[in-house]
Amino acid sequence: MHPAPSVIIFTSFSGLGFGLLLFLGLGFPPVTGWVAFVFYAIAYALAVGGLLASTFHLGNPQRALKAFTQWKTSWLSREAWLSVAALLVMAVYAFCAVFLDTRLTVIGWIGAALSLLTVYSTSMIYGQLRTVPRWNQPLTPVHLLTLSIAGGALLAGQMTAAAALLALAAAVQVAHWQVGDSALKESGTNLATATGLGTPGNIRAFEPPHTGTNYLLKEFVHVVGRKHSRKLRMIALTLGYGLPVVLLIIPGAGHVLGLLAVISHVAGLVTSRWLFFAEAEHVVGLYYGKRSA
Amino acid sequence: MTELPASTQKKLGLVIDLDTCVGCHACVISCKGWNTENYGAPLSDVDAYGADPAGTFLNRVHSYEITPAEGPAQLVHFPKSCLHCEDAPCVTVCPTGASYKRQEDGIVLVNETACIGCGLCAWACPYGARELDALEGVMKKCTLCVDRIYNENLPEVDRQPACVRTCPAGARHFGDLGDPDSDVSKLVAERGGMDLMPEQGTKPVNKYLPPRPKQDRAEEFDILAPFLEPVAEDPKGFLGWLDKALERL
């Protein structure tokens, strides 16, 4: 899949933002007043900024409100509802915490649950697609959820929890890569089933339909070199998970090390998300002879 | 609404004969022509006369080479457009309801005034049947020429999808695949019509007729062969002398 910057920014930052809202809603840390204002400003900037970035890849963003209508079947529509609900409920909670110095515990819990559901609905937009076997696995929502929760814990300053959650998220990340690497092969879809002709190995794409490129090739047939993918995975693991954990478990880690851990995590997160898209093989590539399976 | 109808009264679709298709791309051109001038936003081209031309097409013809264990190799031309699936994954993922499957005839269409151009339906389609138009920002797909097949302003003979009407080889057939007595259904039964990517669970309405086996025709191709016999490997007489003389040089 084409790793569009708008979608990478959207899923990475809104995931972090809703992860932070989850912890704030649960009362970790139990902030009020100006400190709470700073926390909520960061959470909303990330969550709303991410959602706004997602509208940049739309062909006709002026009609975006229509995306609220099909919640019965569409995960994208559900995500629209859940994200707005989470942001509104948490806005009430944040207002009371910042200006009235009170924390409405139950509202916070509801907001936290909605934040988590928002991230789940985002993950299901990808996880539901049978056309992309690498995404069509139960670990996809687990991967995006653990990353969001771990990132949220990190931003919320929950040092011990963040270190443990990052380690868990790293394990899920590695498992997602491993299952994903053989997913296309195991899906049973290949050029022979795509065309109904021949058997795998004795059919070959001879001529593409056009001499030029097209939307399908640009959107779905991004190929990332295996060598680079291995290097990038190491970078994502080191920056996104390893280094932040090390920085967090240094005794007496203050704001400076915490900030470094956040910066490192974001760099690793964006790398991981770039790979999430760039490595995903859409089955339409088979028709163009662009998949080895 | 993006909920799929439980069943459709008709299953209009295409039957494409891979044995007959000669790969002339006339269906591609007639499709582009009709659908640029009629239903919905035109199919745009970008840099059409420049170095890197690209454009929106609803129908594309691939070519595949098959080398069976026995018998001659075959080149198969493979036209591909929307298969108007019964279980269309492109419809249910649409967040706005722009994508829908018609209850009356099973045609899958896009309401372009409701499409936000998010592209998710194209992601959900395993066949690459949907393309986001670069200029209009809306999703384009085969309409089965819904503005031809019911159009009483056209002569009856033209009330078929443009690709079917134009095909010079008669490789494309249009009809109701839900009716077991229709010509297309009989053709599918007779020739062993098949689904593309059945494992994706989309239940495509369009069917493909496999190429007939060519092995038993190998003899036929050899009518002129006796006149084209290769030169003898060990020549005799004058040629033998010449061969040896040249060898010695």
Side-chain angles (χ1 to χ4, degrees), chain A residues 177-264:
Chain A
W177 280 331
Q178 286 204 320
V179 176
D181 283 345
S182 58
L184 177 61
K185 212 169 174 202
E186 268 158 40
S187 73
T189 299
N190 51 49
L191 185 52
T193 69
T195 58
L197 300 169
T199 49
N202 77 3
I203 174 163
R204 188 170 73 98
F206 183 75
E207 251 185 342
H210 288 78
T211 49
T213 185
N214 65 35
Y215 168 76
L216 301 169
L217 288 168
K218 285 181 200 153
E219 186 77 0
F220 301 119
V221 195
H222 187 90
V223 179
V224 51
R226 196 156 189 80
K227 238 162 117 192
H228 288 305
S229 125
R230 218 168 268 158
K231 274 184 203 156
L232 285 166
R233 283 183 182 187
M234 286 316 294
I235 291 172
L237 270 183
T238 312
L239 292 181
Y241 309 90
L243 191 56
V245 170
V246 172
L247 291 171
L248 288 176
I249 55 174
I250 292 175
H255 274 94
V256 178
L257 286 188
L259 182 68
L260 277 178
V262 170
I263 292 171
S264 172

Side-chain angles (χ1 to χ4, degrees), chain B residues 6-231:
Chain B
S7 67
T8 55
Q9 290 163 30
K10 283 183 175 180
K11 291 179 192 171
L12 294 187
L14 302 175
V15 173
I16 294 163
D17 191 342
L18 298 177
D19 194 62
T20 313
C21 177
V22 296
C24 71
H25 292 240
C27 54
V28 178
I29 303 306
S30 63
C31 167
K32 177 100 172 178
W34 178 265
N35 287 294
T36 289
E37 292 158 6
N38 295 282
Y39 181 98
L43 304 174
S44 69
D45 288 316
V46 178
D47 196 21
Y49 303 101
D52 193 15
T56 311
F57 286 80
L58 310 183
N59 181 26
R60 293 179 183 268
V61 181
H62 296 251
S63 297
Y64 297 103
E65 180 193 60
I66 303 164
T67 45
E70 282 174 34
Q74 263 181 291
L75 187 61
V76 178
H77 302 292
F78 194 92
K80 187 162 57 62
S81 53
C82 173
L83 307 171
H84 298 278
C85 302
E86 283 180 59
D87 224 334
C90 55
V91 170
T92 50
V93 297
C94 176
T96 69
S99 229
Y100 62 105
K101 185 169 175 72
R102 306 208 319 172
Q103 199 271 328
E104 63 268 40
D105 52 18
I107 299 179
V108 176
L109 287 176
V110 174
N111 171 5
E112 290 174 4
T113 58
C115 176
I116 55 173
C118 69
L120 191 55
C121 55
W123 289 26
C125 172
Y127 308 109
R130 289 172 168 248
E131 299 190 14
L132 190 73
D133 190 87
L135 294 191
E136 294 287 334
V138 294
M139 196 54 72
K140 299 297 299 183
K141 71 175 293 300
C142 161
T143 67
L144 217 54
C145 283
V146 69
D147 50 349
R148 288 176 67 98
I149 58 177
Y150 298 116
N151 191 342
E152 294 186 356
N153 294 318
L154 295 176
E156 206 171 337
V157 69
D158 285 333
R159 287 178 214 160
Q160 295 190 45
C163 57
V164 175
R165 183 75 182 95
T166 208
C167 179
R172 304 177 71 94
H173 308 270
F174 164 71
D176 180 8
L177 287 142
D179 171 9
D181 296 323
S182 67
D183 288 347
V184 282
S185 294
K186 285 182 194 160
L187 194 57
V188 169
E190 197 179 303
R191 295 276 308 280
M194 58 195 183
D195 289 348
L196 304 186
M197 291 187 189
E199 72 284 354
Q200 286 272 335
T202 55
K203 291 198 256 168
V205 168
N206 284 14
K207 300 284 184 244
Y208 282 77
L209 306 179
R212 295 181 175 95
K214 300 279 193 281
Q215 284 90 326
D216 51 348
R217 296 204 202 153
E219 292 294 311
E220 246 175 74
F221 300 142
D222 264 345
I223 301 166
L224 294 175
F227 301 103
L228 300 166
E229 285 285 308
V231 176

